[in-house]
């Protein structure tokens, strides 16, 4: 991947003319890094503090201040002279200190994305904001009556009248027709910006600046497709029988609106189990404090700085926040005594312990996760525990009988959910790649081709609709979705390593992941501590003995 990039650097005329003017020696590179950190570290801490205040209070002036400080960082990173020096320093063999090379990588990708022509960047930001605003304010309609997203979900999960289900499904896609013109324009603008920097299109640029390669990702998704195709077909066949029976139709008559979710990315809850009742009346904060301490990753300091309960004006979801890369890590949440919040807080604290336990001796630029998907993997790894029967037994003191009941249902549900998510992620990966390669092709037809191929859904009769554009990620997090899947794969690969190599067990049967400090010690040494010291795949090889592979995800959930 890096070789590919330096090839591009060598052939891009803009780069050649700037590149030959500067010739930094290693001590100069170290100086570039020092200058950058001196300017950007305080601003980054400032941004993080302002963001925290904005999210916990909802005050508009804080959001305004946030934009101003972010802009100052962006201005630094758009300096073409600094960029030329950083780029020249990346020529192979020029720097030998691997830490300095990694810091150079970080700077390079940070600057690269900000070298786009200012007017074009401005238009992109404005159009992006416009699409998001339209999206946020738009309400679909059923029989001329406006409905909310939660109305749609209620109808799609509980309604037995097929006509009403179809109407709700169509209402959820309506926003697509309103935004599709602007969204496609946004895709073209993003492509234009990427081409200014010498890439084929924006998708390719995003993957390369995310230190990934399209070839590697294609290979991972192909393998995942091969390994999940038949098991998914079998699970879906069983599901179809249940759904058809509930609606009083034959399985052949099932349409996309029968699947309880506008995109069939979540498993319909047809297997009965109310996990909430096990968490009702429990102190979720205390559970999570006890749990993390039991595996040698105490979080008392994180909890003390966190904002965990709901309040007027506060951001309604949850996130983990590393304020200064020196131990000030906090979590925002709106805790309730439900399984969903147990999962969410385990997840966010997964992110938080990753940040807290970066080795403080590493330089500031490397005190970050190896990649956004590697921290997602840790979050997912811990989040999965909220419905793990053995974990629940240990933490909640459940009886054998209750534990067995949970195990039989939650294993089946988890398995289906994981396989289904993998199939859905394949649709997103292939579609978005094609979208940026050629935004003028028959995208609506292509979407349904992929949905039929990977998710085994039937396309509705009539001309193909533009419903794909109602997926918010195409606007707000372009070319990022594959990272959710990679996070799941790595979570399983780490699980496998911990079971066999760290805890030296034959299998994960009955494994609760409670009360064993070896788990925390391993994660600190191989994952959290090094931060971004190694590129993500090198970190994974060091931590698990092999590069990222779908093998263990399949072993855990499919076989
Ligand atoms: Zn997360």
């Amino acid at each position: 991947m890096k070789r590919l990039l330096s090839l591009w650097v060598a052939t891009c005329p803009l780069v050649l003319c700037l590149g030959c003017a500067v010739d930094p020696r290693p001590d100069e590179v170290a100086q570039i890094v020092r200058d950058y950190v001196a300017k950007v570290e305080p601003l980054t801490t400032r941004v993080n503090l302002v963001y925290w205040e904005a999210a916990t209070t909802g005050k508009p002036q804080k959001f305004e201040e946030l934009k101003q400080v972010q802009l100052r960082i962006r201005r630094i990173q758009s300096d073409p002279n600094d960029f030329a020096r950083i780029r020249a320093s990346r020529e192979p063999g020029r720097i030998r200190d691997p830490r300095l090379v990694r810091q150079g990588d970080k700077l390079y990708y940070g600057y690269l994305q900000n070298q786009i022509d200012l007017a074009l960047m401005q238009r992109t930001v404005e159009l992006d904001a416009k699409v998001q605003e339209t999206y946020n304010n738009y309400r679909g309609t059923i029989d001329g009556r406006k409905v909310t997203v939660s109305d749609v979900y209620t109808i799609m999960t509980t309604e037995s009248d097929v006509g009403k289900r179809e109407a709700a499904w169509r209402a959820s896609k309506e926003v697509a027709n309103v935004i599709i013109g602007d969204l496609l324009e946004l895709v073209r603008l993003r492509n234009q910006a990427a081409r200014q920097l010498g890439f084929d299109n924006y998708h390719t640029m995003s993957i390369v600046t995310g230190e990934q390669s399209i070839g590697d990702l294609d290979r991972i998704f192909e393998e995942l497709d091969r390994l999940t195709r038949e098991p998914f077909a079998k699970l879906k066949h069983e599901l179809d029988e249940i759904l058809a029976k509930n609606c009083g139709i034959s399985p052949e008559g099932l349409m996309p609106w029968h699947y309880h979710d506008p995109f069939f990315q979540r498993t319909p809850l047809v297997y009965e189990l109310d996990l909430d009742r096990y968490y009702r009346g429990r102190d979720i904060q205390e559970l999570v404090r006890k749990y993390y301490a039991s595996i040698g990753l105490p979080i008392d300091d994180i909890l003390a700085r966190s904002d965990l309960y709901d309040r007027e004006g506060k951001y309604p979801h949850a996130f983990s926040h590393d304020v200064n890369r020196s131990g000030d890590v906090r979590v925002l949440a709106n805790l309730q005594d439900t399984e969903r919040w147990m999962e969410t807080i385990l997840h966010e604290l997964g992110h938080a312990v990753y940040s807290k336990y970066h080795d403080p001796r590493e330089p500031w630029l490397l005190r970050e996760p190896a990649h956004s998907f590697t921290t997602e993997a840790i979050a997912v790894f811990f989040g999965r525990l909220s419905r793990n029967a053995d974990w629940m037994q240990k933490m909640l003191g459940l009886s054998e009988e209750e534990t067995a009941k949970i195990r039989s249902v939650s294993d089946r549900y988890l398995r289906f959910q994981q396989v289904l998510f993998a199939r859905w992620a394949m649709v997103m990966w292939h579609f978005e790649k094609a979208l940026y390669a050629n935004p003028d092709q028959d995208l609506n037809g292509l979407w349904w081709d992929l949905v039929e191929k990977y998710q085994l859904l039937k396309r509705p009769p009539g001309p193909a609709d533009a419903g794909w554009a109602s997926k918010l990620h195409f606007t707000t997090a372009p070319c990022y979705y594959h990272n959710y899947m990679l996070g799941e794969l790595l979570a399983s690969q780490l699980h496998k390593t911990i079971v066999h190599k760290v805890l030296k067990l034959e299998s994960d049967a009955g494994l609760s992941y409670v009360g064993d400090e070896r788990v925390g010690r391993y994660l600190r040494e191989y994952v959290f501590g090094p931060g971004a010291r190694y590129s993500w795949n090198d970190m994974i090889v060091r931590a698990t003995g092999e590069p990222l592979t779908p093998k263990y995800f399949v072993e855990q959930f499919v076989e």
Side-chain angles (χ1 to χ4, degrees), residues 23-34 85 88-91 93-101 103-104:
D23 181 21
R25 298 188 311 275
D27 51 342
E28 279 186 56
V29 177
Q31 190 59 47
I32 296 174
V33 168
R34 270 198 301 275
R85 290 170 71 205
S89 76
R90 289 169 50 82
E91 264 175 38
R94 183 155 284 187
I95 317 172
R96 289 192 210 287
D97 173 9
R99 269 193 185 80
L100 199 52
V101 172
Q103 293 177 83

Side-chain angles (χ1 to χ4, degrees), residues 347-348 351 375-376 379:
H347 178 110
E348 298 308 337
H351 287 303
T375 177
E376 214 50 63

Side-chain angles (χ1 to χ4, degrees), residues 447-490:
W447 176 261
W448 281 108
D449 289 345
L450 293 169
V451 167
E452 285 180 333
K453 178 176 175 187
Y454 293 111
Q455 291 182 291
L456 305 176
L457 291 182
K458 263 196 207 91
R459 84 174 72 195
D465 59 279
W468 60 269
S470 69
K471 187 73 198 156
L472 185 61
H473 292 77
F474 290 125
T475 306
T476 54
C479 312
Y480 186 80
Y481 214 83
H482 60 281
N483 286 313
Y484 299 120
M485 191 66 236
L486 300 190
E488 298 285 348
L489 302 185
L490 179 56

